[in-house]
Amino acid sequence: MRALTSLLFLIVLALAAPHAARAQSGFGAAGGEAEPNRMQQWLVPTPLPDIKSHALLFRPAGEGPFQLAVIAHATTQNVLRRAQMAQPEYRALAAFLVARGFAVLVPERPGHGTTGGKYLEDQGGCDEADYARSGRATAEEIASAMSFVRRQPFIKPDGVVIVGHSAGGWGALALAGESMKDISAIILFAAGRGGRANDFPHQICAPHTLKAAAAEFGKGAQVPVTWLVAANDSYFAPAFSKQLADAFRSAGGKVEFRALPAYGGEGHWLPEAEGGVKLAASELERALKPVRTAAGKR
């Protein structure tokens, strides 16, 4: 009887060990699922060992495994605005991706809102802005969150899509130059840094430095990039955004640039709204088609 009791204890201990390890790490689901699209709070790693990113995860129905899409949010150099930022959701964009079979992660990066911690992607002052460094810092933050979630049993480990908005798009562009074999496509909405300098429309801090950094990201880049921008974007207008895309391409990057029609009063926020996502739907479909086709063949 004593031997049987000991055996049962060992079995229970073995079964409990993985759960204890997960609890100790503090990463993973941090609440139940809700509508829409099984929305669930998660905690995911960041490059800072003591800071966990607050993230939203959206999923299709079923057990999966699903392809993963990661949405990288916009930012601001203003410390107070960053601290007061609401957790990014991108519900309409997430719904579009979930409807096409993707699980969608929206991580809040360090230095923002509830996640807090050090702001790693600071570009510096206007004249001495270091856009290459800030882009790579954002890329590292995106990769930290992505790497954790793609190891979950309900996620396919390859065929990842990164969708970046503004500074999040700039970080996604930096990822294109890294050897990230599991990323199949990158989609950018008005990627860049330093837009609307001093809150003036169409004023960009050190635009020549921004173009030079885009070229740097293009060296050796293998991931195909789709670059979208609305006609009335006052942060990075289509004409300037095309210059950035051309700089990326001239250094070896693969990019398709598309100017979208004007959206609302400020086109820069197009990916945050349902109407904006509908406006971009055909371009999103075109960018996702090869990824979804390849996934279907695996």
Side-chain angles (χ1 to χ4, degrees), residues 88-282:
E89 295 185 349
Y90 292 88
R91 289 196 188 194
L93 185 54
F96 181 95
L97 292 163
V98 168
R100 284 145 187 86
F102 289 88
V104 182
L105 182 75
V106 189
E108 182 180 64
R109 300 192 298 277
H112 299 82
T114 306
T115 295
K118 183 179 179 182
Y119 184 53
L120 301 175
E121 53 198 284
D122 191 348
Q123 69 197 35
C126 191
D127 294 334
E128 68 278 8
D130 190 341
Y131 294 125
R133 191 212 62 80
S134 65
R136 290 195 178 97
T138 306
E140 186 180 2
E141 293 168 307
I142 297 168
S144 292
M146 178 196 75
S147 296
F148 175 78
V149 175
R150 61 180 286 274
R151 294 195 300 270
Q152 303 307 309
F154 57 88
I155 295 292
K156 294 180 180 179
D158 54 0
V160 178
V161 173
I162 308 294
V163 184
H165 176 208
S166 193
W170 189 245
L173 189 69
L175 267 182
E178 304 295 331
S179 56
M180 303 291 288
K181 296 179 181 178
D182 303 309
I183 299 176
S184 294
I186 291 173
I187 301 172
L188 312 177
F189 284 95
R193 296 281 316 209
R196 281 188 71 104
N198 300 312
D199 282 334
F200 288 109
H202 304 293
Q203 297 295 315
I204 299 171
C205 282
H208 60 288
T209 306
L210 198 62
K211 285 186 275 189
E216 192 172 328
F217 296 156
K219 295 175 182 177
Q222 296 298 314
V223 183
V225 174
T226 297
W227 199 311
L228 307 176
V229 60
N232 62 333
D233 192 307
S234 72
Y235 288 74
F236 308 105
F240 181 76
S241 292
K242 188 176 185 303
Q243 291 178 33
L244 292 179
D246 288 344
F248 178 78
R249 184 187 296 108
S250 68
K254 304 174 182 178
V255 59
E256 293 288 337
F257 179 82
R258 295 287 189 274
L260 301 173
Y263 176 74
E266 172 54 70
H268 193 67
W269 309 115
L270 176 149
E272 295 187 354
E274 184 176 359
V277 174
K278 286 181 179 178
L279 194 65
S282 62

Side-chain angles (χ1 to χ4, degrees), residues 23-39:
Q24 189 175 13
S25 73
F27 297 119
E33 296 180 7
E35 294 299 329
N37 298 306
R38 303 175 65 183
M39 181 176 68

